[in-house]
Every structure is written in structure tokens, then in C-alpha cells.
Amino acid sequence: SQQGEEDPQALSIQEGENATMNCSYKTSINNLQWYRQNSGRGLVHLILIRSNEREKHSGRLRVTLDTSKKSSSLLITASRAADTASYFCATVNFGNEKLTFGTGTRLTIIP
Amino acid sequence: DAGITQSPRHKVTETGTPVTLRCHQTENHRYMYWYRQDPGHGLRLIHYSYGVKDTDKGEVSDGYSVSRSKTEDFLLTLESATSSQTSVYFCAIRDISYEQYFGPGTRLTVT
């Protein structure tokens, strides 16, 4: 069963614009993570936000977490063609060593 | 790719035959995971290991077994492959911060 569900499923934007993806989950979490997957490749870890954090930045990435709404968002600013990929959120519950992934958002950056 | 390799990278096999996929890490991490990725399902956990000879089931473990006799190797076995096990299989390792690092994947086709 999917813990995280991303929205939208697909997103196309012009290069230079900002891209926002959302993730909703169902149960209390220890942390939430975002991963990127380029076509035909393995997943790459982008950022981890803990349940007691509300916002985190890494380069052009900004992640927010709202535990009251059980939701997170990933913002990519000043998008580039190289950002074209699928993006997945994944959650870790307390007392659990497993990541549960959502179904992903496919992001296409139009040059 | 964080010192994690998978073999083989591609395999075609017939229904009913046994198949073993290998994951090898050079990072000496305690936790290792096997996932499968299918369109519309994201990544789903098959089995994971939290030490040598210590393994546990994930959400889609039926038809799969695993073994870990050394820290660096985690084997996934399909005892009798079925067409529903056609998928891309990813191995991952986890560091102490819950971030996971993925191998390049194995594309398995069961005919």
C-alpha cells in the first residue's frame, strides 16, 4: 500500500520557471524524503525532512512539511532541462526501518 | 552510485525457472533492501535485511526469498519465476540517517 501520494502525476513547465510537487501521506511519520529518478536509472536521494521540521533547503530545492495536514511539498526553483525526471516522496514511520514510496510525479522541463 | 552494484543488469528467463539477483555494496552498511518498480505502483518493498542472516518481509514478498551471508551481499531469489514478476528490481542500502542509496537496477523479463 502506498503511504505517500504525489500530486500532480505529471507536470510540464518552461525552463526557468519554478516547479512544485505535493505529497500526502496517511499515518504519523518519523521523516519524509524526496528522491529523483532519471529515466532508466536508480533513485537518487534529494532531501530528508524530519517530523519536527517545517522547512528545509538544499540548493534550488525547498521542502516543506505540514504534519497536521499530513502533507509535504517540493519546490524546485529556476528549473533546468536537467531537472527532467520523476520525483518520489517516501516516508519512514516511527519504529520502522522501511521507506514507503508514493507513485511519483513526472516532471518535464521544456527548453 | 554510493558503492552499490547489481547483477545481472538485464535478464530474460522462462516461467518456472529459478532466478537469483545479486546486490553488492562496498559501504559496510547494515541495512539493505530489495524493491520492485512497476508502472503505476512506484517502488514496493520486497524484503529487507538489518544484518547478516537477519531479514524481514516487505509488502510484496510472496514468491521471493532473500539471503544475506555476508555484510556486502544481499541476494534475491525467485524460486519459480512467473510473468507477474517481470519488473525492474532495485537494491538499496541505508546509512544511519535513514537516507537510502540505490543501485542501477535489474530489468527482469519472464516469458
Side-chain angles (χ1 to χ4, degrees):
Chain A
S1 62
Q2 247 68 44
Q3 164 75 308
E5 296 291 338
E6 288 90 340
D7 171 56
Q9 291 187 336
L11 178 63
S12 292
I13 61 173
Q14 295 287 337
E15 192 168 19
E17 294 181 340
N18 296 340
T20 299
M21 288 159 271
N22 302 296
C23 170
S24 60
Y25 57 92
K26 298 173 185 172
T27 62
S28 296
I29 60 171
N30 176 305
N31 65 78
L32 184 145
Q33 303 176 37
W34 286 90
Y35 288 79
R36 182 187 75 232
Q37 184 180 34
N38 292 93
S39 181
R41 306 291 295 273
L43 279 72
V44 174
H45 183 269
L46 294 177
I47 197 164
L48 180 153
I49 186 165
R50 301 190 185 282
S51 59
N52 61 351
E53 298 176 311
R54 292 295 168 260
E55 188 170 311
K56 206 161 182 182
H57 297 257
S58 176
R60 294 184 295 114
L61 305 181
R62 172 179 170 252
V63 168
T64 62
L65 179 64
D66 187 334
T67 53
S68 67
K69 295 181 179 177
K70 292 185 171 59
S71 67
S72 174
S73 67
L74 171 67
L75 168 68
I76 303 173
T77 60
S79 63
R80 305 168 182 169
D83 295 328
T84 293
S86 292
Y87 292 82
F88 296 87
C89 70
T91 55
V92 177
N93 298 338
F94 286 102
N96 194 324
E97 304 301 336
K98 297 179 281 191
L99 269 181
T100 305
F101 285 85
T103 54
T105 292
R106 184 163 185 81
L107 175 66
T108 302
I109 306 301
I110 304 166
Chain B
D1 285 325
I4 179 169
T5 58
Q6 294 183 231
S7 59
R9 293 293 314 280
H10 301 271
K11 186 169 182 66
V12 180
T13 192
E14 293 184 348
T15 298
T17 60
V19 177
T20 295
L21 308 182
R22 179 179 182 243
C23 177
H24 179 79
Q25 63 152 328
T26 58
E27 306 296 319
N28 202 36
H29 286 313
R30 179 181 169 197
Y31 288 90
M32 298 184 75
Y33 302 81
W34 276 108
Y35 296 90
R36 59 178 289 173
Q37 185 175 31
D38 305 287
H41 290 279
L43 270 79
R44 292 181 291 175
L45 181 66
I46 305 171
H47 282 280
Y48 71 102
S49 171
Y50 46 97
V52 173
K53 292 185 169 40
D54 292 322
T55 65
D56 203 355
K57 295 179 180 180
E59 63 177 302
V60 291
S61 59
D62 287 348
Y64 301 95
S65 63
V66 290
S67 66
R68 191 163 177 206
S69 59
K70 299 184 291 184
T71 298
E72 57 266 36
D73 289 325
F74 191 32
L75 304 181
L76 176 70
T77 297
L78 291 66
E79 301 292 347
S80 178
T82 67
S83 58
S84 65
Q85 293 176 312
T86 291
S87 187
V88 181
Y89 291 85
F90 288 99
C91 177
I93 57 178
R94 200 204 91 182
D95 66 13
I96 59 173
S97 69
Y98 288 99
E99 299 172 14
Q100 293 194 10
Y101 300 92
F102 284 78
T106 294
R107 185 172 295 275
L108 177 67
T109 303
V110 183
T111 61

